[in-house]
Amino acid sequence: MSFPLLTATAAVPALGAIATAAVPAAKRTTAKWLALLVSVATLVLAIVVAVRFEPGGARYQLTESHAWIKDFGVRYELGVDGIGVALVLLTALLIPFIIAAGWNDADPLETNSSRWRPTQGFFALILGVEAMVIISFEATDVFLFYIFFEAMLIPMYFLIGGFGDRAHQHGEEEAARQRSYAAVKFLLYNLVGGLIMLAAVIGVFVVTSDQLGAGTFSLPEILQARANGDLSMSTSTERWLFLGFFFAFAVKAPLWPLHTWLPNAMGESTAPVAVLITAVVDKVGTFAMLRYCLGLFPEASEWATPAILVLALISIIYGALLAVGQRDIKRLVAYASISHFGFIILGIFVMTSQGQSGATLYMVNHGISTAALMLVAGFLISRRGSRLIADYGGVQKVAPVLAGTFLVGGLATLSLPGLAPFVSEFLVLVGAFARYPAVGIIATLGIILAALYVLVLYQRTMTGPVREGVEKLPDLKVRELLVVAPLIALLIGLGIYPKPLTDIVNPAVEQTMSDVQKKDPAPDQPVTDAGWFDYQPAHAESADGGHE
């Protein structure tokens, strides 16, 4: 029996969470180091998963399958494709930086204070979220995925509501009220989406039970049965089930107009928890769109594409416009993320290989760039004690390293050529132009607005005369440099040479395109006479009259 590598990758942070929570209250430093070591061990396992994964091999690799609830066809079934490997790596990579950046975020507010913040609980919750996110990327049983898709809401609720940002403008009582509001809003939005998805998950079991003789939640079995012609859904059934899944994923992603929980959650969280939300947890939503919406419901995905592209475009423009007008640094990053998730969803549903490869790379690159920008912003906010842009100015004169790293994170956010996000955004736009030129044109407005909100933010906070309260800000410390420097190195490295990541991702994208029976439009057949949301047939006619 082979070593259950995928189980170990999720089990190590889960067990580490329990061990961290059990550390005696007086030994906060021990709890911190234990959590960090566990996260590094998880990263090592994730790297082993990536090394053992063969891009040209079977679709799902390193598989594990065990009966769980036999009467309902539920199995403990794991397996990763290239997209899953990339996101497991992203998750395992970011958690050590999140823990190191939040090293002091859950310490007592005062020496010998009665308002003791449970340090052990803070780091245990982060590890618990990591375990649930990783197993969500690995699960190939729909019901198993659903359990952890919902379960991760519980630790996130406590991280948002119990460990909020100390830099609040209206006092501790108002800060507690705002944290509670943000946590409840996060929980309610995602619970509603999850309950709707549960109905659709049950619907999948009913359909498979009726047509296959025994109900199953196994994604590989369902895909194989569909390919063999043993499983087919009526048009109305497939569309309703698709909507149930997509609604939950659009809340998690988040997609306009289901996005309103994100600015509150990120604004009231500590910077490391804000990174955990948008760079890690939210990626489960866009990943699930690729794996489950397109895999289980290809015809419904094609039917819903026009509406989803409109929503994605609104997210891109709306999120960027609101980012331009923000006065709060963290809320600005939150609205920028909404715009970026619009690009990811656009790339998924333009139904081209470039778009879907770009969307997958975007998930990874957005995670790294947002982590860099938000964590440096968190270091800045913790020094000044304010999230308001107006309270800063001239920081580059007193803390040049902090200002420089903030600039690199911002330039990555606006997808500057030479940095990793440029590659993914370029691929998404190429994929959009190939099938929907008008959509691509509108989406490019998001790039212009991104340059505006990033450069204006830098100008107002880092340049100009040194404002009162800024003149004594210390520069980045060694711990903070050790957090930021590797992220910046990754942004540069993947911007110059993204091939190791694309080699892993592209075969999985090809299989997803096969699920929806789509091929890229022929290059010599531009969609010049089509409507906004019309596209060439899957088998595009070539110039010599043949078919590809």
Side-chain angles (χ1 to χ4, degrees), residues 44-58:
V44 171
L45 288 172
I47 292 171
V48 174
V49 169
V51 170
R52 291 188 57 185
F53 183 81
E54 299 177 6

Side-chain angles (χ1 to χ4, degrees), residues 8-9 12-13 16 32-48 88-89 91-100 103 126-127 130 134 482:
T9 309
V12 166
K32 295 175 184 179
W33 279 107
L34 177 60
L36 182 60
L37 290 173
V38 168
S39 67
V40 171
T42 304
L43 175 58
V44 171
L45 288 172
I47 292 171
V48 174
V88 167
L89 266 177
T91 303
L93 171 71
L94 290 182
I95 296 300
F97 297 118
I98 288 172
I99 290 173
W103 198 254
I126 291 175
L127 291 175
E130 179 182 23
I134 286 176
L482 290 175

Side-chain angles (χ1 to χ4, degrees), residues 2 144 315 323 379 447 464 504 548:
S2 60
L144 179 67
S315 288
F379 298 149
I447 302 174
I504 293 174
E548 296 183 340

Side-chain angles (χ1 to χ4, degrees), residues 472-493:
K472 295 183 179 180
L473 290 186
D475 214 335
L476 293 183
K477 301 174 182 176
V478 173
R479 172 179 60 85
E480 296 165 334
L481 280 171
L482 290 175
V483 169
V484 177
L487 296 174
I488 292 176
L490 280 169
L491 289 172
I492 296 171

Side-chain angles (χ1 to χ4, degrees), residues 64-77 141:
E64 303 172 32
S65 183
H66 307 281
W68 185 15
I69 309 174
K70 292 184 179 180
D71 292 343
F72 295 98
V74 180
R75 300 185 63 82
Y76 176 79
E77 192 170 79
D141 183 277

Side-chain angles (χ1 to χ4, degrees), residues 353-375:
S353 59
Q354 300 98 328
Q356 292 185 359
S357 292
T360 304
L361 292 179
Y362 214 129
M363 294 184 221
V364 175
N365 295 333
H366 169 263
I368 299 171
S369 63
T370 299
L373 180 61
M374 179 60 87
L375 292 179

Side-chain angles (χ1 to χ4, degrees), residues 145-175:
F145 167 82
Y146 173 78
I147 289 174
F148 290 98
F149 180 81
E150 288 294 279
M152 70 181 70
L153 301 180
I154 299 170
M156 286 307 308
Y157 170 81
F158 289 108
L159 284 169
I160 296 168
F163 300 91
D165 193 351
R166 297 179 182 181
H168 206 283
Q169 311 304 314
H170 304 293
E172 182 62 28
E173 185 176 344
E174 177 63 17

